[in-house]
Amino acid sequence: MSRETLFHERIPVQCHSQSVSSILTCDIAYGHDELVIRLIDTNDIFKFYQCVITGSSYSFLRNEQELRVSFEEFQKKLVEFFFEVKRNISKALFNRESLKFLFIEQNEFKNIIRLELKFNIPDDNDYKKYLSEMISNLEKNNISLYKENIQLKESYKNIELDLSQRIKDISNKNTELYNKNNNLEKSLEKYILENKNLIKQTEIETNKFIETEKENSNLKYDLDKIKIEILKKDQEIKRLKEIELQKEEIETEIKTANEIIRKIREDSRRTIKEKEEKEEILNETEQEKERTQKMVDSLKKQTKEKDDRIKKQKEGLRLKDEKIRNLELEIKSLQKKIDDTKFVYTHFYKKNECENSSISERSERDSGFNIEPESPPR
């Protein structure tokens, strides 16, 4: 009976008894509608606990623990739980007395039991199946190891051949390099001899060069002396030229100074004349000032007289305005009296008219004449 291995890892487990190891090997295999979970002691491989879940038994487990997934999804979820235990994301607790395996999720408030599995102590048939599976796995591993060994031997042979070939190539290269080295040493000796000869020649040439440099230095010293003398002469010539130029500049400055003095004298004469003319003008302006002052005084007197007249006229106008106001008040009072008299007159006139009309009617009846009263005044 071949089964597919879903999980085969070591996991940390908390156990109340010391007889069970704290690290167990969990082996999960599925085949023929059976999910077999084994917890194997790492110290003794023949000591293990087993839990078998079939499709029919899962329905009972599903109803008992209120699971919401199918049997296929349960297998994936169970493997995830064991991986979380391995990574210390969640805890696993195994009770040896009740043989219950609990997946516990740690929380700040309390620990939550995510899943509970009931394990059994295996019987003889379980041991036989376990041993047969172990033997079959060992045989498979042995076959795979044998094949790997053959492949390694073949690869080792190939590597040996490659290494022998490489060693030959390296030895050939080494001999070639040795020959090249000998040739280079011989050529080096030749170059050393040539170098010695060249050194001797360079020493001779350096001595010659030193002598020529000494001669050049003497010549340079003489040249420097000559240059210094030439420079001195040039400087003296420049000084003479500068003195001549300064002399010419001084002469031109003297000429300009004389012209300036002449102009200043002419200007002073003109200023004296202008000063005399200005004094005459000032005298005339003072006389005009006195005249204007007299005119201003006369105008001030006239303005005072006019102001007095205007004040008197204003007082007269004010008195006239008061008279006009009083007259208007009198006119209003008279108008009121006239209105009152008109009202009284009209009242009595109407009353008399009624009486006269009654008298006239009677008289007409008696005499036949029509007597009408006069029209009231308007």
Side-chain angles (χ1 to χ4, degrees), residues 76-314:
K76 296 177 183 178
K77 204 70 181 173
L78 186 64
V79 173
E80 287 179 6
F81 286 168
F82 276 110
F83 271 115
E84 287 179 0
V85 171
K86 184 186 175 184
R87 294 168 188 163
N88 292 320
I89 296 169
S90 61
K91 283 186 178 181
L93 181 64
F94 183 66
N95 192 348
R96 186 173 175 275
E97 294 175 356
S98 61
L99 298 176
K100 287 183 179 180
F101 189 87
L102 305 175
F103 291 98
I104 296 170
E105 181 182 353
Q106 291 179 332
N107 197 353
E108 293 180 357
F109 180 66
K110 64 179 289 187
N111 293 329
I112 300 167
I113 297 170
R114 301 176 73 183
L115 183 65
E116 181 180 340
L117 296 175
K118 176 71 176 172
F119 281 81
N120 297 316
I121 296 169
D123 54 6
D124 293 335
N125 290 323
D126 294 329
Y127 272 109
K128 286 177 182 178
K129 288 179 183 178
Y130 174 63
L131 290 171
S132 65
E133 287 178 2
M134 281 181 68
I135 290 163
S136 63
N137 288 326
L138 287 170
E139 285 178 352
K140 288 178 182 177
N141 291 328
N142 192 10
I143 290 164
S144 63
L145 288 169
Y146 180 73
K147 289 179 180 179
E148 286 178 0
N149 192 7
I150 290 166
Q151 289 176 358
L152 287 169
K153 283 180 179 179
E154 289 178 355
S155 63
Y156 180 71
K157 286 179 182 178
N158 293 323
I159 289 164
E160 279 185 347
L161 291 170
D162 290 333
L163 286 171
S164 62
Q165 187 66 35
R166 285 181 183 178
I167 288 163
K168 286 179 182 179
D169 294 334
I170 289 164
S171 62
N172 291 324
K173 286 181 180 179
N174 195 4
T175 53
E176 288 177 359
L177 291 169
Y178 181 74
N179 293 323
K180 284 182 180 179
N181 192 8
N182 289 325
N183 293 323
L184 288 169
E185 285 179 354
K186 289 177 181 179
S187 61
L188 208 160
E189 288 176 356
K190 289 179 182 179
Y191 287 129
I192 288 166
L193 291 170
E194 290 177 356
N195 192 12
K196 286 179 180 179
N197 294 321
L198 288 169
I199 288 165
K200 288 178 181 179
Q201 289 178 0
T202 51
E203 286 177 354
I204 293 163
E205 288 179 354
T206 50
N207 291 322
K208 289 179 180 179
F209 182 74
I210 290 163
E211 289 177 356
T212 52
E213 278 189 347
K214 286 179 180 179
E215 290 177 357
N216 285 325
S217 62
N218 293 322
L219 291 169
K220 282 181 180 178
Y221 181 72
D222 294 332
L223 279 170
D224 291 331
K225 283 182 178 179
I226 293 163
K227 285 180 180 179
I228 290 163
E229 290 177 356
I230 291 164
L231 286 170
K232 286 179 179 179
K233 288 180 180 179
D234 291 333
Q235 287 176 358
E236 288 177 356
I237 291 163
K238 285 181 181 179
R239 285 177 185 174
L240 290 169
K241 287 181 179 179
E242 287 176 355
I243 290 163
E244 288 178 355
L245 290 170
Q246 287 177 0
K247 186 179 178 182
E248 290 176 356
E249 288 176 356
I250 289 163
E251 288 177 354
T252 52
E253 286 177 357
I254 289 164
K255 287 179 181 179
T256 53
N258 290 323
E259 288 179 357
I260 290 163
I261 290 162
R262 185 175 57 77
K263 288 179 180 179
I264 288 165
R265 286 175 180 173
E266 290 177 356
D267 291 332
S268 63
R269 289 173 186 173
R270 288 175 186 172
T271 51
I272 289 163
K273 286 181 181 180
E274 288 176 356
K275 187 177 179 182
E276 290 175 354
E277 290 175 355
K278 285 179 181 179
E279 285 177 353
E280 290 177 357
I281 291 163
L282 283 170
N283 291 322
E284 291 177 356
T285 51
E286 284 179 356
Q287 291 175 0
E288 287 180 357
K289 187 177 180 181
E290 289 176 356
R291 290 173 187 171
T292 51
Q293 187 67 36
K294 289 178 181 179
M295 292 288 287
V296 168
D297 292 332
S298 64
L299 289 169
K300 283 181 180 179
K301 287 179 182 180
Q302 290 177 2
T303 51
K304 283 181 180 179
E305 291 176 356
K306 286 180 180 180
D307 289 333
D308 293 332
R309 289 176 187 174
I310 288 163
K311 285 179 181 178
K312 288 177 181 179
Q313 287 176 359
K314 283 181 179 179

